[in-house]
Amino acid sequence: MWEIWVDRGGTFTDIVARRPDGSLVSHKLLSENPERYDDAAVQGIRDLLKLQPGAAIPANTIRSVKMGTTVATNALLERKGDRTLLVTTRGFGDSLRIGYQNRPRLFDRHIVLPELLYEKVIEVNERLDASGNVLIPIDIHEVQNDLQSAFNTGIRAVAVSFMHGFRNPSHEIMVAAICEEIGFSQV
């Protein structure tokens, strides 16, 4: 069975694959080429499997597909992403601004902080304990109103990150569903 690794960049999509016989093969194609294909990664897989454009990819021939992208990394580094909203637990809205308080030049009097990746913060009155148990449930109506207000200002990208969400993602999943209902394009 095939194993496929894809890196989608802004200009090119690079694919490395292990054939069923164990040999490696690589393939490169334009990330955007609407005259030939809708999605470069899918087309690259078709090319490797020698399928016709638009043909279904037989699932029983592929063990795994792993995909990464430098597009998002570059957008972050260049600060060229969409206007973004951060949704987090009440009391933690400034955590990313505060950071670790690293001061490589301890005696500098004028500290220049990096620009934040998000434009606005919504702090949600919710809380999980360190084990993931709900201490404060979410007020769904309050969250909907706050998210709708942000959406009305033109923000379309949302990052949702609650305290101890890795232990119990239920609050994050609820908020993500509300974001999608409202119409945020990136959640």
Side-chain angles (χ1 to χ4, degrees), residues 44-157:
I45 293 169
R46 283 187 182 117
D47 292 349
L48 289 172
L49 298 177
K50 301 189 183 332
L51 300 173
Q52 294 299 313
I57 298 171
N60 62 346
T61 62
I62 298 175
R63 176 174 292 124
S64 65
V65 175
K66 297 185 180 175
M67 186 164 176
T69 178
T70 55
V71 174
T73 303
N74 291 342
L76 287 172
L77 292 173
E78 298 168 5
R79 303 290 201 256
K80 291 183 178 178
D82 283 347
R83 294 173 59 202
T84 304
L85 170 69
L86 172 64
V87 180
T88 193
T89 303
R90 180 159 288 143
F92 291 89
D94 57 358
S95 293
L96 294 177
R97 168 52 71 205
I98 293 169
Y100 294 109
Q101 293 295 300
N102 295 342
R103 304 250 329 256
R105 297 177 52 103
L106 186 59
F107 298 105
D108 280 3
R109 291 176 42 189
H110 180 68
I111 299 166
V112 179
L113 297 173
E115 182 183 334
L116 292 171
L117 299 175
Y118 51 89
E119 174 180 324
K120 179 176 173 51
V121 177
I122 292 175
E123 292 187 21
V124 177
N125 191 27
E126 70 80 46
R127 192 62 187 255
L128 304 173
D129 68 15
S131 298
N133 300 308
V134 176
L135 297 174
I136 301 172
I138 290 181
D139 179 343
I140 295 297
H141 298 294
E142 181 182 358
V143 172
Q144 285 173 321
N145 291 337
D146 291 345
L147 289 169
Q148 188 65 58
S149 294
F151 185 83
N152 292 346
T153 68
I155 296 174
R156 297 296 181 264

Side-chain angles (χ1 to χ4, degrees), residues 2 13 17 27 30 37 54 69 71 128 140 146 160 184:
W2 286 81
T13 294
H27 188 52
L30 289 171
Y37 43 82
T69 178
V71 174
L128 304 173
I140 295 297
D146 291 345
V160 181
F184 286 95

Side-chain angles (χ1 to χ4, degrees), residues 7-14 28-31 70:
D7 176 23
R8 187 188 186 292
T11 305
F12 293 104
T13 294
D14 297 294
K28 180 187 222 79
L29 60 165
L30 289 171
S31 293
T70 55

